[in-house]
Amino acid sequence: MPPVLSVTNLRKSFLLPHQVISTFKERFIHPFRKNSYESLAALVDINFKVQKGEWLGLIGNNGSGKSTLLKIIASIYPPDQGNVYHQGQLVPFFGLGIDFHEELTARE
């Protein structure tokens, strides 16, 4: 039976600017200033498969790439390298504290 979710050789990195130019005035005063960037590898060589009926949990420190991985699986971010295959429909549901409500049960 093929897996319902398969992630192979996944890699994602981001370019972080050393200096942020955030206003039009800064851009106007220095129109030819080149900004330097640093590459941050958020995910490197991630591989796993989830079969039908299995659960997947992501646990890690802040900044370890949990949200980045979920956003790649949900097709919000494109991966730099690797493949994500999912069977069926995916509904991305992101929100900080969305599952904590004192008056509702876990099922609700």
Side-chain angles (χ1 to χ4, degrees):
M1 175 185 318
V4 293
L5 176 63
S6 175
V7 174
T8 56
N9 301 324
L10 197 65
R11 179 180 294 266
K12 180 67 178 175
S13 60
F14 296 96
L15 291 178
L16 303 176
H18 288 144
Q19 182 180 13
V20 178
I21 298 174
S22 59
T23 65
F24 180 73
K25 179 181 175 183
E26 291 176 59
R27 184 66 71 188
F28 184 75
I29 292 172
H30 307 288
F32 301 109
R33 177 182 284 171
K34 298 291 183 187
N35 201 353
S36 59
Y37 294 90
E38 182 179 343
S39 180
L40 170 70
L43 301 173
V44 178
D45 197 29
I46 304 296
N47 297 290
F48 63 88
K49 293 179 182 180
V50 179
Q51 299 293 335
K52 185 175 182 177
E54 291 181 337
W55 286 68
L56 172 68
L58 300 175
I59 300 172
N61 294 332
N62 290 342
S64 62
K66 300 178 299 289
S67 294
T68 301
L69 177 59
L70 291 174
K71 288 178 183 180
I72 290 174
I73 291 172
S75 299
I76 295 172
Y77 288 165
D80 293 341
Q81 176 184 325
N83 296 314
V84 175
Y85 165 78
H86 62 85
Q87 185 180 30
Q89 185 177 4
L90 264 173
V91 179
F93 193 74
F94 293 98
L96 187 61
I98 204 74
D99 54 349
F100 299 110
H101 195 283
E102 298 168 358
E103 297 177 11
L104 298 176
T105 65
R107 184 176 300 272
E108 292 172 326

